[in-house]
Every structure is written in structure tokens, then in C-alpha cells.
Amino acid sequence: MGTISINRLGGLSLIVGPVLALVFFFMAPGQMLVEQTDPADTAGFVKVMQDNAVLTHLTSFVIPLGLVMMLFGFYALQGLVRTGGNGDALSRLGITFLFFGVIGWVMSSGMGHIVANTDNTDIAKSVFQASGGFNIVGNLAGALGFLAFSLAISTRDDFNKNMAIIAALASGVLLITTVIGTSDNTQANTMGMIGGISYIVVAAWSVMIGMAIHKKG
């Protein structure tokens, strides 16, 4: 029985991971596809999560799975960059930020299980608010990670430079929307939607990168 190479597995992780996380994030109760709710409305968001407890549990399981797959894919990509060519320093910075970004996102998603399970409304609200803090840290670190990584890839000739630049711009938008949404609760829902679109762009770039390194074998 043969073994799969780091490029093939890493490429597959970059193709599947971000898409998996994105699809199930949009399916999560309170998000875009299921009873969309303003994140600033803590009581309303908690109620939607508890009313759709099964879906909350499902998405809270699958989103971290997709994020960890994505992180592994970027580790594989960083190893490829490190072996030669431009972008090594920026990609190392990017993978460091992404590591902490994924930790923040996974912690935030995992708290959904507690919110869905508890009968104590006050505890559920407190956990939801705490998950929002982890999500903010994840967004900030993740956006900086994507920004550094995409700028690193844009300096190389073996990947699509134009798409890397577009991903860098989307990462910058994600960073800005996170700061604005955190500073002004009235803008949190709008900034979240814009940030979601930015993540779609980054996910599309990740799929393209994943296909490229998967072909390297």
C-alpha cells in the first residue's frame, strides 16, 4: 500500500478544508442560510442556536474540521515555498498568524455545543459572548495570516500572481471589517456579511493553490 505525498494531501486539504468550513458556517443557525440574526442581538442569536440545536452541533463539529484541514494545507504550502524561490519569510509569518487564527475560530465554534446544550439562558448568553471574543481574535489573526501568505505567493512565478493579489485585497477587507464590526456593534451584521464575501474570495484562492500543489505530486 502506497503513501500519499505531502503535496497531494496538502493540496487536497486546501481544496476541501476552506470550502467545508465556509459551507457549514453559512448553514450555522443565525448565519446567512438559517434564520439570519444580528450578532449584536445576543438573546436572539442564542434562541436561534438552541431552537436549531442539532444543526448547531453539526456545524460546530464540521467547521473546526474544515479549518484544521485548511491549516494543514497551508503548512504544506509553506514547506513548498521554503524549499526555494521567493516568499519564505512572509509565508512563515502567515502560517504563524493562521495557526492562532484557527485556534480562535475553533474555540469560538466549539462553544456552540455549550450554547445548544444549556438550559440556563444567562450561561448561554455569557458563553455566546465569550465565543464572540474568540471569533474576533480568530478573524484578526486569520486575516493577517491570509494577507501575509497571499503577498508571499504574489512574489512567485509558479502560482497565479493576480489571484494572489486579489486574495491579499480580500484579506485586507476582512481585517478592516473585523475592526469596524468590533468597534461598532450596530455595524457588526453588515461587516460580517462583507467579511463573509471576502472569505469566499480567499477560499476560492485556496482551492486554486490546492489544485496547483496537488498537481506537483
Side-chain angles (χ1 to χ4, degrees):
M1 181 177 179
T3 58
I4 186 170
S5 70
I6 185 70
N7 285 342
R8 288 190 180 278
L9 186 57
L12 186 63
S13 296
L14 280 176
I15 294 169
V16 176
V19 175
L20 197 65
L22 182 67
V23 169
F24 278 83
F25 171 76
F26 286 151
M27 288 174 56
Q31 300 299 341
M32 295 185 179
L33 300 181
V34 181
E35 298 185 48
Q36 184 176 2
T37 308
D38 189 339
D41 180 11
T42 300
F45 215 110
V46 166
K47 185 178 185 303
V48 170
M49 292 177 71
Q50 292 181 333
D51 288 346
N52 299 274
V54 173
L55 186 57
T56 298
H57 285 303
L58 176 63
T59 54
S60 295
F61 276 124
V62 179
I63 291 172
L65 176 64
L67 291 171
V68 172
M69 288 180 66
M70 178 191 72
L71 180 62
F72 173 78
F74 275 105
Y75 268 113
L77 175 60
Q78 204 285 315
L80 188 63
V81 172
R82 187 170 61 246
T83 58
N86 298 325
D88 182 28
L90 270 176
S91 67
R92 291 189 189 214
L93 178 64
I95 200 66
T96 302
F97 274 119
L98 275 177
F99 175 75
F100 287 102
V102 168
I103 288 177
W105 286 327
V106 168
M107 291 289 289
S108 176
S109 184
M111 288 182 172
H113 295 296
I114 302 175
V115 173
N117 279 341
T118 184
D119 294 326
N120 189 311
T121 303
D122 291 334
I123 291 177
K125 289 179 181 178
S126 297
V127 171
F128 175 77
Q129 290 172 336
S131 73
F134 281 109
N135 189 56
I136 290 169
V137 172
N139 285 343
L140 288 172
L144 287 169
F146 290 135
L147 179 61
F149 234 117
S150 54
L151 288 176
I153 298 302
S154 71
T155 65
R156 299 176 62 89
D157 295 324
D158 49 347
F159 295 102
N160 189 318
K161 290 186 176 182
N162 292 332
M163 192 61 194
I165 292 172
I166 293 173
L169 292 174
S171 301
V173 171
L174 179 58
L175 181 63
I176 293 170
T177 56
T178 299
V179 172
I180 295 176
T182 303
S183 304
D184 184 358
N185 279 342
T186 63
Q187 298 294 322
N189 197 35
T190 301
M191 293 300 103
M193 293 178 64
I194 297 174
I197 295 172
S198 300
Y199 183 79
I200 291 174
V201 175
V202 174
W205 173 67
S206 171
V207 170
M208 292 180 63
I209 291 291
M211 293 174 64
I213 67 173
H214 188 271
K215 289 179 181 178
K216 292 180 183 292

